[in-house]
Amino acid sequence: MLKRVISIFCLIILLFSIFNFEGNKPLEVAAATTAPIKDTITLTVKFPDTVGEGFGIEPTDPEEIHQMVDSKGKTHPHRTGWGAIKYECVRTDTDYIAGYDYYGNPIWDVHTVSGWRQKEDYSTEDSHVPHQPAEVKKEIVEKYGEEMYELAEAAGAVFYYDDTTPIPARFLTGDIGDYNRRVNGTTGRYSIYYKDTTYTDSHCQNGEKAYFYRNNDFFVTTTFDVEWKEPEDKQGTGLGRAYWELERTDKNDLSEVAVYSSFKGEYDKHVAVRNIKHTVNLDTKHVEQEGAIEFTINAKQVQNKDMQYGFEYEYTNKEIGWVCTGKGEDQECHWDDRPDWRAVQKFELNGSIPVDHQQKKTEKSDKLDNILVKKWVVGREDKYGPSKESKAYYEQYHRAEGNEWQDEINLKTQTTLPMTPGKLLYSVELPSGKHKDGDFYPLMKTQSSGTYKAAELDESLQAEFEDGVQLQQKVMKDMGMKGDQRQFEGEFVSDLFFTASGTGFMSGYKYAEKVKQAIKSDQGLPSFAQVVQEGAAKGEADFVQYTNVPFEDEWVFTSSEEDLPHLQRYSLPITPYSQLMPNETYKNQLELVDMGLSDLSFTFDQSFSFEHFLFGSGYDDAWIIEQPESRVPVTEFETVELTHEQVKKLAKAERQHSNNKIHNFRFVDRTFPDKVREIRGAR
């Protein structure tokens, strides 16, 4: 049952919501109360003084004034509102000859110079601090009566210096009035007494003391209410949450920012509730309505903006209560149990959440692992229950199990390097919980992709892959929930490099684009047999175009699907004209784009070096040394007899034989030995 109590409550206190983004914080709300029987009282009284008008006698003894200044008021603790400046006379008497008498004797006189030297000063600071009613009790009782004093004291009123109260007219006339107008103005603090005991019409005595002294009065004011007290256990509350998160509403486009705000109060504990309202402001978007708010907006448009949310409603915990009419003996009072909207309270919950996602951000590092230690904000939530809890939600990439990617590789000789970063594990959590849905998928339909830019490609590849080798991620494997996070495993493939066994000729195959188009059209990935067939056919055509001789060779790593990773490796150029030198560090650069809900870009290096050339002379310190002359005596040999006609055919064949070489040391024409055998008639 509502207590029928009339008590004192300070209206002027306003509590404002304070929000943070880390940890918990008790909820604070703004409130305003109007009671049906209420006096909003403003008292303005003169701060009581112990001297001056009606309060005693002003000090006039210079010694006493000097003592008051020297002790900074401690010798006269009850005196308030005064200020003083100490003066001390400095006098010099100098004898001089003022003239001569009739007999020529000097006439002596004294030349006196005197003046007042200003010394220490001091002023009390009573007006600069708040004052309790007990300190101004005499003035309140004298002006308003004992009851008013009790109300002010019960309300916990605090009196503050009031610089707007006009100075009484009697202190704006005559000498004191001139002084106040000149020094203090016409409002606020004013002097009721001042005195300057220095003088200039005669010489002062050396060491004589004087002073300037004034006594000020000032007004203090307070405002307090006599009203019905709000029950502490029936304050307004807001239960619910507000959040934003990245959400991919269109599988063929960038993520959007999804906004949600929904709160409710504990309405049943109030006498009545009205004017329920939710608001959200984000950049140019403003939504205001009674129910929950939910919408999506362009992520880049609102990046690094603040999402302002609010929830409010008005309520009253008070019935109209006692209603009295008449005065004195004719007064009648009855209890009215209808809602008293004059005692309305307004619950307001306001907050701000930074929309600090990093969509399309490029993370650059010389190492992949430096990027994988980072995480990116994909959502923020403020939750009230009723205490506030703020939480940030992230996405992150890690190495998947078995990932053997190396940021730095030291090779013994010119071999091959992987062009894909290995399997990556993607983790994400969202405030909406949608990451737990069975059909949740974070990436665009075309998945993530990228580019591998080698320090130097083989000559046969440079034109085709001038802009880099393309990388393409396959559809990620759903690894389910781990704790609160949804995890996916992703694997990249690259364009393929087919290498001929005999000549070492290399041909590129745009495998990454094939995989992307298959994913885009919901088709299965190209089979290994199809890849080998198309890649080999293209490679043979590239060979003929590059060398102008028929292709008589075989492609390595084309036997089974297990060979596919070997085709996705970068071969260091072994031509003598290569820019790559032993024991130097070079960098291949990788860029992965459209990573995660944030559509991020990762740019990192694959550093490598090698100790020896693969082919060369002894001077080159190569692993395979060119040996033009035999160092072993030939003891067994075969004698071949050729006819004059065969010699002519061999000469003709030699003239027609191509001298073009792959890597400057492998002849491209592998048909010449067969022609020699044919001319010889040998098998």
CSV table of all heavy atoms in Angstrom, one decimal, residues 491-535:
chain,number,residue,atom,x,y,z
A,491,GLU,N,40.5,-22.6,-47.3
A,491,GLU,CA,41.8,-23.0,-48.0
A,491,GLU,C,41.8,-22.3,-49.3
A,491,GLU,O,40.8,-22.2,-50.0
A,491,GLU,CB,41.8,-24.5,-48.2
A,491,GLU,CG,43.0,-25.0,-48.9
A,491,GLU,CD,42.9,-26.5,-49.2
A,491,GLU,OE1,41.9,-27.2,-48.9
A,491,GLU,OE2,43.9,-27.1,-49.6
A,492,PHE,N,43.0,-21.8,-49.6
A,492,PHE,CA,43.2,-21.0,-50.9
A,492,PHE,C,43.8,-22.0,-51.9
A,492,PHE,O,44.6,-22.8,-51.6
A,492,PHE,CB,44.1,-19.8,-50.7
A,492,PHE,CG,43.4,-18.6,-50.1
A,492,PHE,CD1,43.2,-18.5,-48.7
A,492,PHE,CD2,42.8,-17.7,-50.9
A,492,PHE,CE1,42.6,-17.4,-48.1
A,492,PHE,CE2,42.2,-16.6,-50.3
A,492,PHE,CZ,42.1,-16.5,-49.0
A,493,VAL,N,43.5,-21.7,-53.2
A,493,VAL,CA,44.2,-22.3,-54.3
A,493,VAL,C,44.7,-21.2,-55.1
A,493,VAL,O,44.3,-20.1,-55.0
A,493,VAL,CB,43.2,-23.2,-55.2
A,493,VAL,CG1,42.6,-24.3,-54.4
A,493,VAL,CG2,42.1,-22.4,-55.8
A,494,SER,N,45.7,-21.5,-55.9
A,494,SER,CA,46.4,-20.5,-56.8
A,494,SER,C,46.3,-21.0,-58.2
A,494,SER,O,45.8,-22.1,-58.6
A,494,SER,CB,47.8,-20.4,-56.4
A,494,SER,OG,48.6,-21.5,-56.8
A,495,ASP,N,46.6,-20.0,-59.1
A,495,ASP,CA,46.8,-20.4,-60.5
A,495,ASP,C,47.9,-21.5,-60.6
A,495,ASP,O,48.7,-21.6,-59.6
A,495,ASP,CB,47.2,-19.2,-61.4
A,495,ASP,CG,46.1,-18.3,-61.6
A,495,ASP,OD1,44.9,-18.7,-61.4
A,495,ASP,OD2,46.4,-17.1,-61.8
A,496,LEU,N,47.9,-22.3,-61.6
A,496,LEU,CA,48.8,-23.5,-61.7
A,496,LEU,C,50.0,-23.2,-62.6
A,496,LEU,O,49.8,-22.5,-63.6
A,496,LEU,CB,48.1,-24.7,-62.1
A,496,LEU,CG,46.8,-25.1,-61.3
A,496,LEU,CD1,46.2,-26.4,-61.9
A,496,LEU,CD2,47.1,-25.2,-59.8
A,497,PHE,N,51.1,-23.8,-62.3
A,497,PHE,CA,52.3,-23.7,-63.2
A,497,PHE,C,52.6,-25.1,-63.6
A,497,PHE,O,53.0,-26.0,-62.8
A,497,PHE,CB,53.5,-23.1,-62.5
A,497,PHE,CG,53.4,-21.6,-62.2
A,497,PHE,CD1,54.2,-21.0,-61.3
A,497,PHE,CD2,52.4,-20.9,-62.9
A,497,PHE,CE1,54.1,-19.7,-61.0
A,497,PHE,CE2,52.3,-19.5,-62.6
A,497,PHE,CZ,53.1,-18.9,-61.7
A,498,PHE,N,52.4,-25.4,-64.9
A,498,PHE,CA,52.8,-26.7,-65.5
A,498,PHE,C,54.3,-26.6,-65.9
A,498,PHE,O,54.6,-25.7,-66.6
A,498,PHE,CB,51.9,-27.1,-66.7
A,498,PHE,CG,50.5,-27.5,-66.2
A,498,PHE,CD1,49.5,-26.6,-65.9
A,498,PHE,CD2,50.3,-28.9,-66.1
A,498,PHE,CE1,48.3,-27.1,-65.5
A,498,PHE,CE2,49.0,-29.3,-65.7
A,498,PHE,CZ,48.0,-28.4,-65.4
A,499,THR,N,55.0,-27.6,-65.6
A,499,THR,CA,56.5,-27.6,-66.0
A,499,THR,C,56.8,-28.9,-66.8
A,499,THR,O,56.4,-30.0,-66.4
A,499,THR,CB,57.3,-27.7,-64.7
A,499,THR,OG1,57.0,-26.6,-63.9
A,499,THR,CG2,58.8,-27.6,-65.0
A,500,ALA,N,57.4,-28.6,-67.9
A,500,ALA,CA,57.8,-29.7,-68.8
A,500,ALA,C,59.0,-30.5,-68.2
A,500,ALA,O,60.0,-29.8,-67.8
A,500,ALA,CB,58.1,-29.2,-70.2
A,501,SER,N,59.0,-31.8,-68.3
A,501,SER,CA,60.1,-32.6,-67.7
A,501,SER,C,61.4,-32.4,-68.4
A,501,SER,O,62.4,-32.2,-67.7
A,501,SER,CB,59.7,-34.1,-67.8
A,501,SER,OG,60.7,-34.9,-67.3
A,502,GLY,N,61.5,-32.4,-69.7
A,502,GLY,CA,62.8,-32.4,-70.4
A,502,GLY,C,63.3,-31.0,-70.5
A,502,GLY,O,64.5,-30.8,-70.3
A,503,THR,N,62.5,-30.0,-70.9
A,503,THR,CA,63.0,-28.7,-71.2
A,503,THR,C,62.9,-27.8,-70.0
A,503,THR,O,63.6,-26.7,-69.9
A,503,THR,CB,62.3,-28.0,-72.3
A,503,THR,OG1,60.9,-27.9,-72.0
A,503,THR,CG2,62.4,-28.9,-73.6
A,504,GLY,N,62.1,-28.1,-69.0
A,504,GLY,CA,61.9,-27.1,-67.9
A,504,GLY,C,61.0,-26.0,-68.3
A,504,GLY,O,60.8,-25.0,-67.5
A,505,PHE,N,60.4,-26.0,-69.5
A,505,PHE,CA,59.5,-24.9,-69.9
A,505,PHE,C,58.3,-24.9,-68.9
A,505,PHE,O,57.7,-25.9,-68.5
A,505,PHE,CB,59.0,-25.2,-71.3
A,505,PHE,CG,58.0,-24.2,-71.8
A,505,PHE,CD1,58.4,-22.9,-72.2
A,505,PHE,CD2,56.6,-24.4,-71.8
A,505,PHE,CE1,57.5,-22.0,-72.7
A,505,PHE,CE2,55.7,-23.5,-72.3
A,505,PHE,CZ,56.2,-22.3,-72.7
A,506,MET,N,57.8,-23.7,-68.6
A,506,MET,CA,56.7,-23.5,-67.7
A,506,MET,C,55.6,-22.7,-68.4
A,506,MET,O,55.8,-21.8,-69.2
A,506,MET,CB,57.2,-22.7,-66.5
A,506,MET,CG,58.2,-23.4,-65.7
A,506,MET,SD,58.6,-22.5,-64.1
A,506,MET,CE,57.1,-22.9,-63.2
A,507,SER,N,54.4,-23.2,-68.1
A,507,SER,CA,53.1,-22.6,-68.7
A,507,SER,C,52.1,-22.4,-67.5
A,507,SER,O,52.0,-23.3,-66.7
A,507,SER,CB,52.6,-23.5,-69.7
A,507,SER,OG,51.3,-23.0,-70.2
A,508,GLY,N,51.4,-21.3,-67.6
A,508,GLY,CA,50.5,-21.0,-66.5
A,508,GLY,C,49.1,-21.4,-66.9
A,508,GLY,O,48.7,-21.4,-68.1
A,509,TYR,N,48.3,-21.7,-65.9
A,509,TYR,CA,46.9,-22.1,-66.1
A,509,TYR,C,46.0,-21.3,-65.1
A,509,TYR,O,46.3,-21.4,-63.9
A,509,TYR,CB,46.7,-23.6,-65.9
A,509,TYR,CG,45.3,-24.1,-66.0
A,509,TYR,CD1,44.7,-24.2,-67.3
A,509,TYR,CD2,44.6,-24.5,-64.9
A,509,TYR,CE1,43.4,-24.7,-67.3
A,509,TYR,CE2,43.3,-24.9,-65.0
A,509,TYR,CZ,42.7,-25.0,-66.2
A,509,TYR,OH,41.4,-25.5,-66.3
A,510,LYS,N,45.0,-20.6,-65.5
A,510,LYS,CA,44.2,-19.7,-64.7
A,510,LYS,C,43.2,-20.6,-63.8
A,510,LYS,O,42.0,-20.5,-64.0
A,510,LYS,CB,43.4,-18.7,-65.5
A,510,LYS,CG,44.4,-17.8,-66.3
A,510,LYS,CD,45.1,-16.8,-65.4
A,510,LYS,CE,45.8,-15.7,-66.2
A,510,LYS,NZ,46.5,-14.7,-65.3
A,511,TYR,N,43.7,-21.3,-62.9
A,511,TYR,CA,42.9,-22.2,-62.1
A,511,TYR,C,42.1,-21.4,-61.1
A,511,TYR,O,40.9,-21.8,-60.9
A,511,TYR,CB,43.8,-23.2,-61.4
A,511,TYR,CG,43.1,-24.2,-60.5
A,511,TYR,CD1,42.2,-25.1,-61.1
A,511,TYR,CD2,43.4,-24.3,-59.2
A,511,TYR,CE1,41.6,-26.0,-60.3
A,511,TYR,CE2,42.8,-25.2,-58.4
A,511,TYR,CZ,41.8,-26.1,-58.9
A,511,TYR,OH,41.2,-27.0,-58.1
A,512,ALA,N,42.6,-20.4,-60.5
A,512,ALA,CA,41.9,-19.6,-59.5
A,512,ALA,C,40.6,-19.1,-60.1
A,512,ALA,O,39.5,-19.1,-59.4
A,512,ALA,CB,42.8,-18.5,-59.0
A,513,GLU,N,40.6,-18.5,-61.3
A,513,GLU,CA,39.4,-18.0,-61.9
A,513,GLU,C,38.4,-19.1,-62.2
A,513,GLU,O,37.2,-18.9,-62.0
A,513,GLU,CB,39.8,-17.2,-63.1
A,513,GLU,CG,38.6,-16.6,-63.8
A,513,GLU,CD,37.9,-15.5,-63.0
A,513,GLU,OE1,38.5,-14.9,-62.1
A,513,GLU,OE2,36.7,-15.3,-63.2
A,514,LYS,N,38.9,-20.3,-62.6
A,514,LYS,CA,38.0,-21.4,-62.8
A,514,LYS,C,37.3,-21.8,-61.5
A,514,LYS,O,36.1,-22.1,-61.5
A,514,LYS,CB,38.8,-22.6,-63.3
A,514,LYS,CG,39.5,-22.4,-64.6
A,514,LYS,CD,38.5,-22.7,-65.8
A,514,LYS,CE,39.2,-22.7,-67.1
A,514,LYS,NZ,38.3,-23.0,-68.2
A,515,VAL,N,38.0,-21.8,-60.4
A,515,VAL,CA,37.4,-22.1,-59.1
A,515,VAL,C,36.4,-21.1,-58.7
A,515,VAL,O,35.2,-21.4,-58.3
A,515,VAL,CB,38.5,-22.3,-58.0
A,515,VAL,CG1,37.8,-22.4,-56.7
A,515,VAL,CG2,39.4,-23.5,-58.3
A,516,LYS,N,36.7,-19.8,-58.9
A,516,LYS,CA,35.8,-18.7,-58.6
A,516,LYS,C,34.5,-18.8,-59.4
A,516,LYS,O,33.4,-18.7,-58.8
A,516,LYS,CB,36.4,-17.4,-58.8
A,516,LYS,CG,35.5,-16.2,-58.6
A,516,LYS,CD,36.1,-14.8,-58.8
A,516,LYS,CE,36.9,-14.5,-57.6
A,516,LYS,NZ,37.4,-13.1,-57.6
A,517,GLN,N,34.6,-19.1,-60.7
A,517,GLN,CA,33.4,-19.1,-61.5
A,517,GLN,C,32.5,-20.3,-61.2
A,517,GLN,O,31.3,-20.3,-61.2
A,517,GLN,CB,33.8,-19.2,-63.0
A,517,GLN,CG,34.4,-17.9,-63.5
A,517,GLN,CD,33.5,-16.7,-63.3
A,517,GLN,OE1,32.3,-16.7,-63.5
A,517,GLN,NE2,34.1,-15.6,-62.8
A,518,ALA,N,33.2,-21.4,-60.8
A,518,ALA,CA,32.4,-22.6,-60.4
A,518,ALA,C,31.6,-22.3,-59.1
A,518,ALA,O,30.5,-22.7,-59.0
A,518,ALA,CB,33.4,-23.8,-60.2
A,519,ILE,N,32.3,-21.7,-58.2
A,519,ILE,CA,31.6,-21.3,-56.9
A,519,ILE,C,30.4,-20.3,-57.2
A,519,ILE,O,29.3,-20.5,-56.7
A,519,ILE,CB,32.6,-20.7,-55.9
A,519,ILE,CG1,33.6,-21.8,-55.5
A,519,ILE,CG2,31.8,-20.2,-54.7
A,519,ILE,CD1,34.7,-21.2,-54.6
A,520,LYS,N,30.7,-19.4,-58.0
A,520,LYS,CA,29.7,-18.3,-58.3
A,520,LYS,C,28.5,-18.9,-59.0
A,520,LYS,O,27.4,-18.5,-58.8
A,520,LYS,CB,30.4,-17.3,-59.2
A,520,LYS,CG,29.5,-16.0,-59.5
A,520,LYS,CD,30.3,-15.0,-60.3
A,520,LYS,CE,29.4,-13.8,-60.5
A,520,LYS,NZ,30.2,-12.7,-61.3
A,521,SER,N,28.7,-19.9,-59.9
A,521,SER,CA,27.5,-20.5,-60.6
A,521,SER,C,27.0,-21.8,-59.9
A,521,SER,O,26.2,-22.5,-60.5
A,521,SER,CB,28.0,-20.8,-62.0
A,521,SER,OG,29.1,-21.7,-62.0
A,522,ASP,N,27.5,-22.0,-58.7
A,522,ASP,CA,27.0,-23.2,-57.9
A,522,ASP,C,27.3,-24.5,-58.6
A,522,ASP,O,26.5,-25.5,-58.5
A,522,ASP,CB,25.5,-23.1,-57.6
A,522,ASP,CG,25.1,-21.9,-56.7
A,522,ASP,OD1,25.9,-21.6,-55.8
A,522,ASP,OD2,24.1,-21.2,-57.0
A,523,GLN,N,28.4,-24.5,-59.2
A,523,GLN,CA,28.9,-25.8,-59.9
A,523,GLN,C,30.0,-26.4,-59.1
A,523,GLN,O,30.7,-25.7,-58.3
A,523,GLN,CB,29.4,-25.4,-61.3
A,523,GLN,CG,28.3,-24.8,-62.2
A,523,GLN,CD,27.2,-25.7,-62.5
A,523,GLN,OE1,27.4,-26.9,-62.8
A,523,GLN,NE2,26.0,-25.2,-62.5
A,524,GLY,N,30.3,-27.7,-59.4
A,524,GLY,CA,31.4,-28.3,-58.8
A,524,GLY,C,32.7,-27.8,-59.3
A,524,GLY,O,32.8,-27.3,-60.4
A,525,LEU,N,33.8,-27.9,-58.5
A,525,LEU,CA,35.1,-27.4,-58.9
A,525,LEU,C,35.6,-28.3,-60.0
A,525,LEU,O,35.2,-29.5,-60.2
A,525,LEU,CB,36.1,-27.5,-57.7
A,525,LEU,CG,35.7,-26.7,-56.5
A,525,LEU,CD1,36.8,-26.8,-55.5
A,525,LEU,CD2,35.4,-25.3,-56.8
A,526,PRO,N,36.4,-27.7,-61.0
A,526,PRO,CA,36.9,-28.5,-62.1
A,526,PRO,C,37.7,-29.7,-61.6
A,526,PRO,O,38.5,-29.6,-60.6
A,526,PRO,CB,37.8,-27.5,-62.8
A,526,PRO,CG,38.0,-26.3,-61.9
A,526,PRO,CD,36.8,-26.3,-61.0
A,527,SER,N,37.5,-30.8,-62.2
A,527,SER,CA,38.2,-32.0,-61.8
A,527,SER,C,39.7,-32.0,-62.2
A,527,SER,O,40.1,-31.2,-63.0
A,527,SER,CB,37.6,-33.3,-62.5
A,527,SER,OG,37.8,-33.2,-63.9
A,528,PHE,N,40.5,-32.8,-61.5
A,528,PHE,CA,41.9,-32.7,-61.8
A,528,PHE,C,42.2,-33.2,-63.2
A,528,PHE,O,43.1,-32.6,-63.9
A,528,PHE,CB,42.6,-33.7,-60.8
A,528,PHE,CG,44.1,-33.6,-60.9
A,528,PHE,CD1,44.8,-32.5,-60.5
A,528,PHE,CD2,44.8,-34.7,-61.5
A,528,PHE,CE1,46.2,-32.5,-60.6
A,528,PHE,CE2,46.2,-34.7,-61.6
A,528,PHE,CZ,46.9,-33.6,-61.2
A,529,ALA,N,41.4,-34.2,-63.7
A,529,ALA,CA,41.6,-34.6,-65.1
A,529,ALA,C,41.4,-33.5,-66.1
A,529,ALA,O,42.1,-33.3,-67.0
A,529,ALA,CB,40.7,-35.8,-65.3
A,530,GLN,N,40.3,-32.7,-65.8
A,530,GLN,CA,40.0,-31.6,-66.7
A,530,GLN,C,41.0,-30.6,-66.6
A,530,GLN,O,41.5,-30.0,-67.6
A,530,GLN,CB,38.6,-31.0,-66.3
A,530,GLN,CG,38.2,-29.8,-67.1
A,530,GLN,CD,37.0,-29.1,-66.5
A,530,GLN,OE1,36.3,-29.6,-65.6
A,530,GLN,NE2,36.7,-27.9,-67.0
A,531,VAL,N,41.6,-30.3,-65.4
A,531,VAL,CA,42.6,-29.3,-65.2
A,531,VAL,C,43.9,-29.7,-66.0
A,531,VAL,O,44.5,-28.9,-66.7
A,531,VAL,CB,42.9,-29.1,-63.7
A,531,VAL,CG1,44.2,-28.3,-63.6
A,531,VAL,CG2,41.7,-28.4,-63.1
A,532,VAL,N,44.2,-31.0,-65.9
A,532,VAL,CA,45.4,-31.5,-66.5
A,532,VAL,C,45.3,-31.4,-68.0
A,532,VAL,O,46.2,-31.0,-68.8
A,532,VAL,CB,45.8,-32.9,-66.1
A,532,VAL,CG1,46.9,-33.5,-66.9
A,532,VAL,CG2,46.2,-32.9,-64.6
A,533,GLN,N,44.1,-31.8,-68.5
A,533,GLN,CA,43.9,-31.8,-70.0
A,533,GLN,C,43.9,-30.4,-70.5
A,533,GLN,O,44.6,-30.2,-71.5
A,533,GLN,CB,42.5,-32.4,-70.3
A,533,GLN,CG,42.1,-32.5,-71.7
A,533,GLN,CD,40.7,-33.0,-72.0
A,533,GLN,OE1,40.0,-33.3,-71.1
A,533,GLN,NE2,40.4,-33.2,-73.3
A,534,GLU,N,43.2,-29.5,-69.9
A,534,GLU,CA,43.3,-28.1,-70.4
A,534,GLU,C,44.6,-27.4,-70.2
A,534,GLU,O,45.1,-26.7,-71.1
A,534,GLU,CB,42.2,-27.3,-69.7
A,534,GLU,CG,40.8,-27.8,-70.0
A,534,GLU,CD,39.7,-27.0,-69.2
A,534,GLU,OE1,40.1,-26.1,-68.4
A,534,GLU,OE2,38.5,-27.2,-69.4
A,535,GLY,N,45.3,-27.7,-69.0
A,535,GLY,CA,46.5,-27.1,-68.8
A,535,GLY,C,47.6,-27.6,-69.7
A,535,GLY,O,48.5,-26.8,-70.1
